[in-house]
Amino acid sequence: MVSLSTVHHHNASLKSLGSGLVAVFVGGTSGIGLYTAREFVRSTVSPTVYLVGRNETQASQVIQELTLMNPGGKFQFIKTDGSLLSGVDSACEAIQQKESRINLLFLSCGIFTLKGRDETSEGLDKKFSLHYYARMRFIKNLMPQLTRATNNKSSTSGLSRVITVLGAGHETKIDVDDLDLKHKYSLNSCDVHATTMSSLMVGEFASRYPSTTFIHTYPGIVKSGISREAGPIVGRLVRAVMFLGRPWMVGEQESGERHLYVATSDVFPSSSMARGQSRVDFVESRRGAYLVNWDGSEVGNRRLLDEYHTSGVGRQVWDHTEDMFQTVLKRS
């Protein structure tokens, strides 16, 4: 466990990275994305922040708050439906038109639902798309800007990092013959596939883009707006569970502080940075790709994941994801 004092000390040092860091928060108008965006803005010098989501009213309020925190910062809302890969592409294009480099891509978009398979117009299940496919599409699209952040001479920090917030440490066997769950969908299988495939993909991305760090986190129990589309009955149920679980919950500010630490700490070097270090902490054997618990400790079903990487399942998941992108693009 990383102590809060260590987190606070590190975050207080971030102004030394210089001004003009660029961050993209997908799902940054509520929940963990918002909590982390607040701490990022509070702790950095004149940052540029993009909030990607659907709620323009909420985004306007958040931008007003962030502007008061850091008047020298630049804040913009990109409105899009993140459950659609076409929406992801349009959001990325809007960002790429303005930014040549990105230091941080933070992905926390998601929904809580009790529905069965709920296909979007692109043929993907909405929950599965938000929790997995759309996130991978954001990463793939924005890799040129993330890579450039490490090479651009005007960037003093060299920070280039991707964080996807979901269920690291809860990896379970997946159905490799039905990766998109077109035939055997259930809410549990959706959670299992999104979680395990995300953990495999951070490793696949790290092997292909060694100058960027890729991290999959488990945030613990944190208050968020994830149940907002689940209807009033389910919403009340979720709030009741949150109320009963208060003794075990991670506070909003602490969640933001801890995710900012993970998003910027040298404890999580990229693959290329790790090769140049004589010593790396607990993540020594996981260069460039990390699975992190809410408290900063390492998690992950490593026995299963190592078996999957060795047997080629990681590559199979990568190829499947690329194939799904192409299928959706052709359909569009």
Side-chain angles (χ1 to χ4, degrees):
M1 176 177 180
V2 179
S3 69
L4 262 181
S5 60
T6 298
V7 169
H8 291 158
H9 178 75
H10 168 78
N11 292 352
S13 72
L14 291 181
K15 288 182 172 59
S16 65
L17 295 180
S19 63
L21 292 176
V22 179
V24 177
F25 290 88
V26 181
T29 60
S30 65
I32 296 164
L34 171 58
Y35 309 150
T36 307
R38 282 174 178 158
E39 299 310 314
F40 179 83
V41 170
R42 196 193 317 273
S43 303
T44 57
V45 180
S46 301
T48 296
V49 173
Y50 291 89
L51 305 174
V52 181
R54 291 190 302 168
N55 192 328
E56 196 164 4
T57 300
Q58 178 70 14
S60 178
Q61 296 171 356
V62 171
I63 287 175
Q64 289 180 16
E65 177 187 357
L66 298 181
T67 302
L68 289 175
M69 282 184 179
N70 197 327
K74 298 176 183 178
F75 311 104
Q76 183 173 341
F77 175 60
I78 305 293
K79 184 176 182 178
T80 196
D81 183 350
S83 68
L84 299 175
L85 299 190
S86 58
V88 174
D89 288 352
S90 64
C92 291
E93 184 178 353
I95 295 169
Q96 289 168 324
Q97 288 175 352
K98 296 186 176 183
E99 302 298 337
S100 62
R101 60 179 177 83
I102 294 171
N103 299 101
L104 172 63
L105 173 58
F106 193 93
L107 303 152
S108 59
C109 52
I111 56 171
F112 177 85
T113 177
L114 295 181
K115 290 182 180 180
R117 187 176 177 90
D118 180 18
E119 288 197 358
T120 68
S121 59
E122 296 177 335
L124 298 175
D125 173 68
K126 185 176 183 180
K127 179 179 180 181
F128 202 178
S129 183
L130 280 168
H131 290 201
Y132 177 74
Y133 291 108
R135 297 186 187 201
M136 298 305 114
R137 186 68 173 175
F138 268 109
I139 300 172
K140 189 67 183 296
N141 284 356
L142 296 177
M143 278 315 307
Q145 286 69 38
L146 286 156
T147 301
R148 202 169 291 127
T150 65
N151 300 328
N152 195 312
K153 294 181 180 179
S154 65
S155 175
T156 58
S157 70
L159 178 68
S160 177
R161 198 155 296 191
V162 174
I163 311 288
T164 183
V165 182
L166 194 61
H170 294 78
E171 298 81 13
T172 310
K173 286 188 176 181
I174 56 178
D175 186 346
V176 295
D177 297 319
D178 188 28
L179 287 175
D180 63 345
L181 297 174
K182 189 76 173 180
H183 306 291
K184 301 176 183 177
Y185 183 92
S186 71
L187 293 176
N188 180 65
S189 63
C190 180
D191 289 336
V192 166
H193 273 230
T195 294
T196 305
M197 290 165 71
S198 294
S199 292
L200 290 169
M201 284 294 281
V202 293
E204 294 295 320
F205 270 110
S207 68
R208 291 166 174 80
Y209 301 96
S211 63
T212 298
T213 297
F214 300 87
I215 301 176
H216 178 197
T217 74
Y218 171 67
I221 305 174
V222 185
K223 181 181 179 181
S224 70
I226 198 169
S227 64
R228 59 189 175 277
E229 296 184 20
I233 296 177
V234 175
R236 286 195 291 270
L237 176 62
V238 171
R239 288 192 291 273
V241 171
M242 288 289 185
F243 178 80
L244 294 173
R246 282 187 302 174
W248 299 276
M249 288 180 67
V250 182
E252 295 178 10
Q253 184 169 347
E254 180 179 351
S255 177
E257 291 170 338
R258 287 189 175 279
H259 274 95
L260 179 60
Y261 170 82
V262 172
T264 54
S265 172
D266 290 339
V267 171
F268 307 98
S270 66
S271 178
S272 59
M273 290 289 290
R275 283 196 293 268
Q277 294 183 7
S278 59
R279 177 182 177 274
V280 180
D281 290 339
F282 63 83
V283 292
E284 184 173 6
S285 62
R286 319 296 180 191
R287 290 177 176 174
Y290 309 102
L291 309 180
V292 182
N293 204 3
W294 71 270
D295 60 359
S297 59
E298 184 181 20
V299 292
N301 184 344
R302 287 298 177 185
R303 185 172 183 176
L304 174 67
L305 294 174
D306 289 345
E307 176 187 327
Y308 274 169
H309 280 300
T310 301
S311 63
V313 174
R315 177 57 187 265
Q316 184 177 346
V317 169
W318 174 275
D319 290 342
H320 160 80
T321 305
E322 292 273 23
D323 288 344
M324 294 303 296
F325 292 163
Q326 295 304 314
T327 298
V328 168
L329 287 173
K330 289 179 181 178
R331 181 176 298 172
S332 298

